Amino acid sequence: MAKVLATGGMGYIGSHTVIELIKKGYEVEILDNLYNSKVEVLDKIEQITGVRPKFHEADMLDSEKVDQIFAEGNFTTVIHFAGLKAVGESVEKPLEYYKTNIDGTLNILKAMKENNVKHIIFSSSATVYGDPHQDTCDESLPTGRELTNPYGKTKYMIEEILKDVAYADKDFKVTILRYFNPVGNHESGLIGEDPNGIPNNLMPIIMKVSKGEIPELSVFGDDYDTRDGSCIRDYIHVVDLANGHILAMEKSQPGVSIYNLGTGNGTTVFEMIDAFEKASGEKLPYKVVGRRAGDLPILTANAEKAEKELGWHAERNVEDAMRDTIKFLRG
Ligand code: NAD
Ligand code: UFG
């Protein structure tokens, strides 16, 4: 049975995946420097699963420490979530993003090589499609074109690095998962998205508005050519996303496999506000402001490849995500 190292496993998507891995009987260890997560997540994982995974509080930029964790870990598989992910911040601080995301990944790959670990699942993003000039993306579309920010470029570059690693070693198994817009949280409401600092993404901002920590949501544009003028995204429940990692891990083959993880359905910003209001019974204060630079009007996944090859599809919808989010919000 696989023994997994989850880098970034204390974060939002990582912690949900760790829970699903433990539930399926996998042994998991976590490497995280708590840059964007809290140590209490470990207690919550234990509360939900009955298992407290081994936690290495370590920076993946600390190559010596990473080597030491691998030398002692006997891992078969790495699920690589760790990294910086704020699009806007990456424009302000490009060097930090290239250093953490690229150097960090190189350190992990070097330790994998030295310890004969030949199986990696990587957290990529729909952002690698840049502006695909179409509303729905499948995995055969070209990547790396018209990328507007360093964060997206690091995802593209890491995908290319992984392809080269798999090319050089034909036993190496690389799975690249391109997430669309992860939302929601574990149905217990015990864990959820809880970023340090000011959030960038729609759902954590909605949550902060609901808590009164931000006065109102700014809707970035209502003049797009969509059914209500606001942008459309493919919001995928994080527990479905977590399960996609497990199926991808179990079905990995030597070489490179790439999957979109999304629902295939699009929801507008106004529909998200409406779904939150219905689920919570609250009014969500918002105002329409100008378009945000770099936003695409519509981006949804064609997730047929994951269905066909992994037997994976999303089982939860936006209403489920809102219900779980409210449970997390209300503690
Ligand atoms: P997150 O910030 O909640 O989790 C990332 C974790 O990595 C955090 O716990 C953080 O402390 C850790 N980390 C950061 N730098 C580190 C370092 N140098 N060493 C060790 N640990 C470090 O983010 P998330 O939403 O769970 O995203 C996980 C992955 O999925 C990221 O790679 C992200 O780019 C990717 N992704 C996220 C989204 C999204 O919308 N959430 C979409 C597409 C892709
Ligand atoms: N939005 C608002 N107001 C806000 C925040 C967001 O109206 O305060 C809107 C955006 O304009 C967009 C939608 O809500 O239409 C979703 O925005 P997010 O920032 O949550 O997500 P994005 O689709 O812009 O980006 C996400 C991830 C990126 C990833 C990208 C790939 O954050 O990491 O998906 O599809 F690269």
Side-chain angles (χ1 to χ4, degrees):
M1 198 166 205
K3 181 173 176 193
V4 180
L5 178 70
T7 75
M10 299 292 276
Y12 171 48
I13 302 167
S15 59
H16 283 86
T17 307
V18 167
I19 288 168
E20 298 308 312
L21 283 164
I22 294 173
K23 274 166 60 183
K24 298 226 161 45
Y26 289 104
E27 194 182 343
V28 193
E29 295 186 12
I30 296 173
L31 183 165
D32 200 303
N33 67 351
L34 301 178
Y35 175 82
N36 197 33
S37 49
K38 299 184 176 71
V39 73
E40 291 74 35
V41 167
L42 216 51
D43 301 330
K44 307 291 183 190
I45 294 174
E46 185 176 11
Q47 215 176 324
I48 292 167
T49 64
V51 174
R52 192 174 185 85
K54 189 165 178 183
F55 171 48
H56 306 273
E57 186 175 342
D59 191 325
M60 63 178 168
L61 292 175
D62 182 346
S63 186
E64 260 176 50
K65 188 83 189 275
V66 169
D67 289 346
Q68 191 195 331
I69 292 166
F70 272 84
E72 292 165 6
N74 284 316
F75 307 116
T76 61
T77 306
V78 173
I79 310 187
H80 183 33
F81 302 98
L84 302 180
K85 65 160 186 177
V87 172
E89 186 187 58
S90 79
V91 177
E92 308 295 323
K93 302 177 179 171
L95 297 183
E96 261 182 42
Y97 273 69
Y98 287 115
K99 184 155 185 64
T100 299
N101 292 4
I102 306 286
D103 284 3
T105 302
L106 292 176
N107 286 344
I108 299 292
L109 287 168
K110 177 176 144 285
M112 288 177 70
K113 186 161 190 255
E114 280 163 9
N115 291 279
N116 212 27
V117 183
K118 298 190 175 201
H119 187 192
I120 188 166
I121 322 290
F122 173 59
S123 298
S124 190
S125 165
T127 198
V128 298
Y129 296 116
D131 183 349
H133 300 284
Q134 56 192 69
D135 299 343
T136 301
C137 300
D138 69 52
E139 296 84 350
S140 67
L141 285 178
T143 54
R145 298 200 310 201
E146 299 180 59
L147 298 179
T148 53
N149 60 80
Y151 164 74
K153 289 179 190 171
T154 68
K155 291 290 168 193
Y156 168 71
M157 288 174 189
I158 295 168
E159 286 199 2
E160 296 303 301
I161 291 168
L162 291 171
K163 288 176 193 169
D164 290 341
V165 168
Y167 184 80
D169 179 346
K170 303 293 180 217
D171 296 329
F172 216 95
K173 295 187 274 187
V174 169
T175 302
I176 290 168
L177 300 178
R178 295 181 181 151
Y179 312 155
F180 280 67
N181 292 62
V183 290
N185 48 261
H186 188 263
E187 60 179 8
S188 64
L190 285 170
I191 59 165
E193 188 164 13
D194 190 12
N196 296 334
I198 302 157
N200 302 267
N201 295 113
L202 180 63
M203 268 317 290
I205 292 172
I206 288 180
M207 288 157 72
K208 288 218 182 269
V209 172
S210 163
K211 285 198 275 187
E213 291 172 18
I214 298 178
E216 61 191 352
L217 170 71
S218 297
V219 174
F220 295 141
D222 66 351
D223 56 353
Y224 287 97
D225 185 16
T226 60
R227 51 187 175 265
D228 62 20
S230 66
C231 292
I232 292 179
R233 292 291 181 274
D234 187 333
Y235 295 94
I236 166 91
H237 196 294
V238 69
V239 175
D240 284 330
L241 195 63
N243 285 319
H245 289 73
I246 297 173
L247 287 170
M249 181 180 92
E250 290 170 344
K251 304 220 166 150
S252 293
Q253 302 290 331
V256 181
S257 310
I258 303 177
Y259 300 101
N260 285 340
L261 294 183
T263 66
N265 299 315
T267 307
T268 70
V269 177
F270 289 123
E271 287 164 352
M272 290 295 280
I273 295 172
D274 194 47
F276 182 85
E277 290 186 338
K278 282 207 174 88
S280 65
E282 294 167 20
K283 269 269 158 240
L284 192 83
Y286 71 84
K287 67 164 184 280
V288 176
V289 298
R291 293 180 175 196
R292 181 171 68 176
D295 264 346
L296 296 170
I298 305 178
L299 192 68
T300 59
N302 175 334
E304 284 169 16
K305 191 174 174 213
E307 167 86 68
K308 200 162 137 230
E309 295 185 12
L310 303 177
W312 176 89
H313 60 260
E315 290 174 359
R316 295 161 182 82
N317 58 23
V318 161
E319 284 69 36
D320 297 319
M322 292 301 178
R323 180 201 59 219
D324 296 336
T325 300
I326 285 150
K327 207 160 179 190
F328 175 59
L329 261 177
R330 294 182 178 166

